[in-house]
Amino acid sequence: MGNPHKVLACVDHSPYAEHVADHAAWAARWLQAPLEFLHVLERPTHAGADHSGAIGIDAQQHLLEELSSEDEARSRAARERGRLLLDRLRERALVAGAATVDVRQRHGHLGETLVELQPEVSLYVLGRRGESAAMTQRALGRHVEHTLRALRRPVLTVTEGFREPRRVMIAFDGSAPTRRGVRLLAASPTLKGLPIHVVMSGPGRRDSARQLDWARAELEQAGHSVEPSLIPGDPERVIAEAVIAQSIDLLVMGAYSHSPLRSLFFGSKTTDLLRALRVPTLLLR
């Protein structure tokens, strides 16, 4: 098993890889943790040519050898292209101040690989769009929600561009994940002194004021400037409006607290917010 406290950044050949690298380098400095870049090579498929039909044994053997040779050539080319990508991003992260940067290339499926590596990871960094979404207008890659639901570690989801956070917001609801988020922000020397907005919204609760006071006290005790807010209304709308109004650079929030079955019928607030917001978002499970 590798280092159980590393930041793992998932990259591909999309234009978003450099944005992921910049955010990952910052996250590694923030958490004072080693950084590793992961590139997953999908298993090759034989799409296109029709190899069916009745052919002789010799011709069949020749076809199998030809396909095997083509697979090996494609695999070598993909590995080399991936190596060059990882080397370039490693150098970029070192220049950005990451202390320790490793790289890893694996064959397989991205989601399965990330779950397998979970015991080694304290934080994932993942682009909201990848190589398959680069040519579309989708605000969220088609595999992102499934991947996020499968992970039990915090995930920093990023968009285009990088700006070191100067204004941070936590969408706080008193749940265990968001309380861990408060403690994570409180423990960060990198964020010390920055204004942190703590926003509660949704249906009124008897203990809302007490929960908000707890979050404010935790952060102030750690030396942070805190701006607490208790705003009634739909959480998705309240958070989206507050992010824009306060020029927030980093949003911290709980994620996917409802079952996939419930989301099938009622939709997912987490996914809706990720589609709507253009700021890096740290998702807590």
Side-chain angles (χ1 to χ4, degrees):
M1 183 181 297
N3 190 313
H5 305 296
K6 71 185 175 188
V7 173
L8 185 66
C10 314
V11 295
D12 59 16
H13 294 285
S14 75
Y16 310 102
E18 291 185 351
H19 308 312
V20 171
D22 293 341
H23 284 88
W26 171 83
R29 290 189 286 112
W30 169 35
L31 298 177
Q32 299 179 334
L35 169 61
E36 181 172 281
F37 287 106
L38 171 69
H39 179 235
V40 175
L41 296 163
E42 298 286 344
R43 297 294 182 186
T45 59
H46 298 294
D50 182 5
H51 302 301
S52 62
I55 59 176
I57 294 177
D58 290 344
Q60 193 174 54
Q61 181 62 33
H62 176 72
L63 176 60
L64 291 174
E65 291 174 356
E66 183 178 303
L67 289 174
S68 177
S69 177
E70 290 175 358
D71 279 350
E72 180 58 31
R74 279 195 296 265
S75 182
R76 282 198 306 269
R79 287 197 303 270
E80 177 62 14
R81 188 169 175 237
R83 184 188 67 79
L84 294 173
L85 169 73
L86 291 170
D87 286 348
R88 176 169 58 84
L89 296 179
R90 180 178 183 274
E91 289 302 315
R92 186 181 182 97
L94 288 170
V95 169
T100 304
V101 186
D102 293 320
V103 298
R104 184 188 306 211
Q105 191 159 222
R106 294 275 297 268
H107 281 280
H109 182 272
L110 176 62
E112 294 172 356
T113 302
L114 295 183
V115 171
E116 178 188 340
L117 297 176
Q118 200 158 222
E120 307 176 18
V121 177
S122 62
L123 174 71
Y124 292 96
V125 183
L126 185 68
R128 290 186 205 166
R129 302 176 70 191
E131 192 170 6
S132 62
M135 303 302 293
T136 73
Q137 296 302 311
R138 289 196 306 269
L140 201 64
R142 66 176 181 268
H143 299 306
V144 172
E145 180 177 353
H146 175 76
T147 300
L148 293 174
R149 285 186 179 279
L151 300 174
R152 290 295 177 267
R153 296 285 192 269
V155 183
L156 178 62
T157 66
V158 307
T159 56
E160 296 91 340
F162 170 73
R163 181 172 65 177
E164 187 159 334
R166 288 289 178 262
R167 299 178 68 82
V168 180
M169 174 182 291
I170 178 166
F172 183 70
D173 61 6
S175 65
T178 58
R179 289 171 78 90
R180 286 196 298 271
V182 168
R183 294 190 179 103
L184 180 64
L185 295 176
S188 170
T190 305
L191 299 178
K192 188 160 291 184
L194 297 184
I196 297 181
H197 297 257
V198 182
V199 177
M200 290 193 76
S201 60
R205 290 168 34 179
R206 265 184 276 181
D207 66 343
S208 292
R210 180 173 58 83
Q211 294 281 6
L212 197 60
D213 284 343
W214 174 86
R216 178 186 51 76
E218 286 281 314
L219 292 165
E220 286 183 345
Q221 187 175 0
H224 294 281
S225 168
V226 184
E227 298 182 27
S229 300
L230 183 56
I231 307 173
D234 175 65
E236 179 190 353
R237 178 185 59 79
V238 168
I239 293 167
E241 290 177 355
V243 164
I244 295 171
Q246 302 297 333
S247 301
I248 297 301
D249 301 313
L250 173 66
L251 173 65
V252 180
M253 58 181 280
Y256 299 114
S257 57
H258 297 296
S259 70
L261 183 61
R262 185 185 188 280
S263 295
L264 178 65
F265 292 104
F266 298 104
S268 167
K269 294 295 185 184
T270 304
T271 300
D272 290 343
L273 273 170
L274 290 179
R275 288 195 178 108
L277 297 175
R278 310 312 303 159
V279 298
T281 303
L282 178 61
L283 302 177
L284 307 168
R285 300 300 307 276

